[in-house]
């Protein structure tokens, strides 16, 4: 196995081990304990605000539900999707900080201070979710600085307000005076507007630079989080302009509704995975429909990567193979990577996909769903590899025999002819007429034998075929004195095995047309279609050709080995049309 494949295989196994550890009983107990604590805190905070928050009853539904849904979605990710544990933790943090502002309604001074100073933290957490989804990582220093600045501005201005303002009132979303209680409140509002604008710019920049699979995965969360950022900017703006309470309440209702949808949007990938898996099993139900190309299209839609490739793993050869049985190399493009798939500890295949999908749970689900496809393709890859090897061995054997006849047998015949001529010269007039005639007959026969050797050597393998199918067929036309105008073959080169089979089909068809059909005109046409090489030989002979002849059977056998199609259309008195369709990838 190449070192690069071996290293990536080991990395893949390490990652699988890490994921297994993430779901260990001890970790599950710890996460469950934290979940109970967070829910208890949320209920306690809500109980403090009951009857004290200045909102209508209809606004309470989205306001009190948003944080709880974030907690549920976050812990669902921590339990079921360890690969997205960072986003899960951020959703949990958003759920906690969503309720932390309710601590301001506590009569305990320290609890009130915590609620007041951290009231706007949920907006910063939402911005971090939007900028880091779906992997939970901030990609560049500028994004990191903006997110840290958001937390810093909120913390510094709110703590300063707490100590500077005299008996600061509880902060609530929708307060028209929220940004004007003191210069520090105004400074925090202005800084928040600038940072919100920076977040929007970063979201647009990231959207434009992301690959399609990443966009597809992030668009639901990114859309609602972006909308939430816009509404927060509206909050800050109306706070500075002392807008009416009704407008503030409308913005609050919109903000609560939007952030309520963010946790739900974070589960879209999980729903897509479930639906995709159901579709995959439905496709597998009809085994006749199981084909790598059709299944690749299904995976492309499921994972959102139109360029995804699926290849079986050949364990005995320690390599990945394509449909032709050829070794597949690891992608070198920085935007593409490989994920190895295992089934019950056994390597079954590899997915070449967009690097943004690395670690996605869907990739691990693929292993269970595509096992039948991969095992079937592995068998087919081995079969194709063996078939290709048969053709390559035939080419090698023919070239060896051609070389032996051309360089060995022909040289011996030429040597014999020279010996016979030297013998005639030596004997001169001393030999009788009968002896001279016998020697001259030997020379004539050696000439005919040399021609036959040349004929057999050429039939075994024309040297011009090494330079392409067109060169090989042109040499055949020259040898048989056929007009070049009846030959149409592009200059393109195809795999050697394809060119060899195509040449055999053409040479057998021409031989049959000249020997049996008494054809006056023989036309050869070769065209290339996507993944197929079409070979056609047409003549105006007597027709009636069948697949029973040795030559036709040999051509049919070679085409079948290459998994192509071979047909003969030969009505009596009309002529013969031989057609071979050979699978071919340039």
């Amino acid at each position: 196995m190449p070192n690069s494949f071996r290293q990536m295989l080991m990395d893949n196994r390490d990652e699988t081990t890490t994921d297994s550890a993430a779901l260990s009983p001890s970790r599950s107990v710890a996460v469950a304990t934290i979940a109970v604590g967070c829910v208890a805190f949320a209920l306690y905070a809500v109980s403090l605000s009951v009857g004290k928050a200045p909102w209508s009853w209809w606004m309470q539904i989205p306001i009190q539900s948003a944080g709880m849904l974030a907690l549920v979605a976050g812990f669902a990710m921590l339990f079921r999707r360890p690969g997205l544990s960072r986003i899960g933790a951020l959703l949990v943090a958003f759920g906690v900080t969503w309720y932390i502002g309710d601590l301001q309604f506590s009569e305990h001074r320290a609890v009130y201070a915590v609620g007041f100073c951290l009231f706007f933290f949920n907006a910063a957490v939402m911005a971090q979710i939007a900028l880091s989804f779906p992997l939970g990582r901030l990609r560049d220093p500028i994004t990191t600085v903006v997110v840290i600045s958001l937390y810093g501005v909120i913390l510094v201005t709110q703590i300063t307000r707490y100590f500077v303002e005299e008996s600061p009132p509880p902060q609530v979303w929708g307060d028209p005076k929220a940004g004007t209680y003191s210069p520090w409140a105004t400074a925090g509002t202005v800084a928040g507007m600038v940072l919100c604008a920076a977040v929007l710019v970063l979201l647009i920049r990231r959207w434009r630079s992301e690959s399609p699979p990443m966009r597809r995965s992030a668009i639901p969360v990114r859309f609602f989080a972006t909308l939430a950022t816009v509404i927060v900017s509206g909050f800050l703006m109306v706070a500075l302009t002392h807008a009416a309470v009704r407008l503030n309440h409308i913005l609050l209702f919109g903000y609560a509704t939007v952030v309520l949808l963010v946790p739900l949007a974070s589960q879209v990938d999980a729903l897509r995975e479930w639906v995709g898996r159901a579709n995959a099993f439905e496709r597998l139900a009809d085994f006749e429909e199981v084909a790598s190309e059709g299944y690749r299209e299904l995976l492309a839609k499921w994972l959102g990567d139109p360029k995804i490739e699926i290849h079986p793993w050949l364990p005995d050869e320690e390599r990945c193979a394509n449909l032709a049985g050829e070794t597949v190399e690891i992608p070198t493009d920085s935007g593409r990577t490989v994920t190895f798939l295992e089934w019950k500890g056994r390597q079954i295949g590899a997915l070449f996909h967009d690097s943004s999908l690395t670690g996605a749970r869907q990739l691990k689900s693929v292993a269970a769903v595509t096992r039948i496809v991969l095992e079937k393709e592995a068998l087919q890859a081995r079969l194709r590899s063996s078939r290709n090897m048969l053709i390559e061995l035939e080419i090698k054997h023919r070239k060896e025999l051609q070389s032996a006849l051309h360089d060995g047998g022909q040289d011996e015949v030429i040597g014999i002819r020279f010996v016979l001529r030297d013998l005639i010269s030596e004997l001169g007039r001393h030999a009788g007429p009968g002896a001279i005639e016998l020697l001259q007959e030997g020379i004539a026969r050696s000439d005919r034998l040399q021609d036959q050797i040349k004929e057999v050597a050429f039939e075994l393998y024309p040297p011009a075929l090494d330079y392409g199918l067109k060169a090989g067929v042109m040499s055949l036309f020259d040898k048989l004195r056929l007009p070049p105008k009846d030959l149409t073959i592009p200059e393109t080169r195809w795999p050697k095995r394809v060119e060899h089979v195509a040449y055999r089909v053409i040479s057998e068809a021409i031989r049959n047309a000249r020997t049996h059909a008494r054809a006056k005109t023989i036309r050869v046409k070769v065209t290339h279609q996507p993944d197929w090489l079409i070979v056609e030989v047409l003549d105006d002979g007597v027709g009636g050709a069948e697949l029973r002849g040795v030559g036709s059977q040999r051509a049919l056998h070679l085409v079948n080995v290459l998994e192509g199609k071979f047909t003969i259309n030969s009505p009596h008195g009309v002529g013969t049309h031989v057609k071979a369709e050979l699978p071919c990838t340039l």
Side-chain angles (χ1 to χ4, degrees):
M1 185 194 306
N3 291 335
S4 54
F5 259 117
R6 188 183 299 276
Q7 183 61 45
M8 293 196 74
L9 179 57
M10 295 304 297
D11 293 343
N12 184 73
R13 288 175 176 169
D14 292 343
E15 181 182 345
T16 303
T17 303
T18 302
D19 283 348
S20 300
L23 296 175
S24 63
S26 59
R27 180 180 175 85
S28 298
V29 171
V31 174
T33 303
I34 296 173
V36 172
C38 289
V39 172
F41 167 77
L43 294 176
Y44 167 71
V46 171
S47 68
L48 294 176
S49 65
V50 173
K52 298 179 181 179
W55 308 309
S56 302
W57 65 269
W58 54 272
M59 295 179 62
Q60 294 283 356
I61 297 175
I63 290 175
Q64 302 299 352
S65 302
M68 194 62 68
L69 274 178
L71 290 175
V72 171
F75 283 111
M77 283 188 174
L78 292 175
F79 273 110
R80 298 178 56 85
R81 308 178 72 188
L84 298 178
S85 59
R86 292 173 181 265
I87 287 294
L90 285 173
L91 284 171
V92 171
F94 177 80
V96 172
T97 55
W98 181 259
Y99 293 110
I100 207 167
D102 290 342
L103 298 180
Q104 295 175 102
F105 298 105
S106 173
E107 296 180 357
H108 193 282
R109 194 63 184 173
V111 176
Y112 169 84
V114 172
F116 182 89
C117 295
L118 302 183
F119 175 72
F120 295 105
F121 252 41
N122 65 81
V125 176
M126 179 56 62
Q128 184 174 352
I129 291 174
L131 291 171
S132 63
F133 194 85
L135 300 180
R137 297 185 179 90
L138 300 174
R139 295 198 311 174
D140 54 76
I142 296 178
T143 305
T144 304
V145 169
V146 170
V147 171
I148 293 176
S149 299
L150 275 170
Y151 288 110
V153 166
I154 293 171
L155 197 60
V156 170
T157 56
Q158 287 296 103
I159 291 176
T160 305
R161 284 189 60 202
Y162 178 77
F163 288 105
V164 170
E165 296 178 7
E166 184 176 351
S167 300
Q171 299 290 287
V172 291
W173 291 101
D175 182 1
K177 299 180 181 180
T180 58
Y181 284 109
S182 71
W184 281 100
T186 304
T189 301
V190 173
M193 292 176 64
V194 173
L195 290 173
C196 282
V199 169
L200 291 174
V201 170
L202 290 173
L203 286 171
I204 295 173
R205 188 184 72 170
R206 183 161 187 178
W207 174 264
R208 295 179 63 182
S209 64
E210 284 177 339
S211 60
M214 183 68 82
R215 288 182 183 177
R216 178 174 177 267
S217 176
I219 188 172
V221 168
R222 200 76 56 75
F223 173 78
F224 291 115
T226 301
L227 190 56
T229 305
V230 172
I231 295 176
V232 169
S233 301
F235 266 127
L236 298 174
M237 190 175 298
V238 299
L240 292 176
T241 58
H242 303 282
V245 174
R246 182 175 180 81
L247 176 58
N248 278 271
H249 282 188
I250 292 174
L251 287 173
L252 173 59
F253 182 78
Y255 180 66
T257 303
V258 168
V259 297
L260 176 72
L261 295 173
V262 170
L264 296 177
S266 69
Q267 302 304 305
V268 169
D269 262 359
L271 178 62
R272 186 184 294 123
E273 176 187 346
W274 181 82
V275 173
R277 189 182 302 180
N279 290 339
F281 276 117
E282 182 178 352
R283 180 70 64 86
L284 287 173
D286 187 356
F287 192 79
E288 294 300 321
E289 294 295 324
V290 177
S292 63
E293 184 58 30
Y295 201 77
R296 192 205 68 80
E297 294 177 359
L298 181 66
L299 290 179
K301 293 179 181 179
W302 180 9
L303 300 174
D305 182 3
K307 297 181 180 179
I308 196 166
E309 299 177 31
I310 179 171
H311 299 294
W313 176 260
L314 307 182
D316 49 340
E317 302 177 34
E318 293 190 327
R319 66 185 181 96
C320 277
N322 59 17
L323 294 179
E326 301 167 336
T327 300
V328 179
E329 301 296 335
I330 294 177
T332 56
D333 184 358
S334 59
R336 311 292 297 174
T337 188
V338 58
T339 293
F340 290 95
L341 304 176
E342 291 188 356
W343 177 258
K344 296 182 179 180
R346 179 169 56 87
Q347 203 72 27
I348 60 173
L351 282 176
F352 291 8
H353 56 83
D354 191 282
S355 56
S356 64
L357 294 172
T358 302
R361 184 178 177 86
Q362 296 97 311
L363 294 181
K364 299 201 170 40
S365 301
V366 167
V369 178
T370 61
R371 177 174 59 91
I372 296 177
V373 176
L374 289 170
E375 290 185 349
K376 178 185 177 183
E377 290 304 324
L379 291 174
Q380 291 182 344
R382 290 191 184 95
L383 179 59
R384 292 187 183 100
S385 180
S386 299
R387 287 176 168 178
N388 293 340
M389 188 177 297
L390 285 175
I391 297 178
E392 290 169 0
L393 287 175
E394 176 177 310
I395 295 173
K396 181 181 178 181
H397 185 56
R398 282 177 173 269
K399 292 180 75 172
E400 289 175 350
L401 288 177
Q402 188 269 348
S403 178
L405 286 174
H406 185 274
D407 298 334
Q410 186 175 221
D411 289 346
E412 288 296 325
V413 171
I414 294 173
I416 292 172
R417 186 165 62 246
F418 279 120
V419 170
L420 293 175
R421 286 176 177 171
D422 290 343
L423 184 57
I424 291 175
S425 299
E426 286 291 333
L427 292 175
R429 296 179 179 177
H430 300 290
I436 297 297
E437 288 177 1
L438 289 174
L439 291 174
Q440 287 175 342
E441 183 181 351
I443 293 173
R445 289 195 175 190
S446 67
D447 288 338
R448 291 194 296 272
L449 178 58
Q450 184 181 1
D451 291 338
Q452 290 176 358
I453 291 175
K454 287 181 179 180
E455 181 75 21
V456 172
F458 185 90
E459 180 63 25
L460 281 170
Y461 193 86
L465 190 56
D466 284 334
Y467 300 96
L469 178 60
K470 183 173 184 178
V473 178
M474 284 183 66
S475 68
L476 178 62
F477 264 52
D478 291 340
K479 181 177 180 296
L480 300 177
R481 301 181 182 278
L482 296 174
K485 64 181 181 63
D486 293 334
L487 174 63
T488 305
I489 301 179
E491 297 285 352
T492 310
R493 291 300 306 268
W494 295 277
K496 184 173 291 187
R497 61 180 180 276
V498 176
E499 292 182 339
H500 176 73
V501 174
Y503 178 84
R504 289 297 146 201
V505 170
I506 294 171
S507 63
E508 290 291 347
I510 291 177
R511 186 180 67 81
N512 288 336
R514 288 171 60 88
T515 305
H516 306 294
R518 300 188 297 277
K520 296 179 180 178
T521 302
I522 302 173
R523 292 186 293 115
V524 175
K525 181 181 179 182
V526 176
T527 56
H528 183 263
Q529 298 178 0
D531 299 330
W532 288 92
L533 187 68
I534 310 302
V535 178
E536 297 176 275
V537 181
L538 303 97
D539 67 61
D540 60 356
V542 297
E546 297 180 353
L547 282 172
R548 298 176 184 176
V550 176
S552 298
Q553 286 290 326
R554 184 165 50 194
L556 174 62
H557 172 71
L558 286 173
V559 172
N560 287 338
V561 169
L562 208 58
E563 295 185 277
K565 303 173 185 177
F566 185 80
T567 58
I568 293 180
N569 183 19
S570 185
H572 286 282
V574 176
T576 302
H577 180 194
V578 176
K579 183 178 181 180
E581 301 175 62
L582 308 176
C584 171
T585 302
L586 289 178

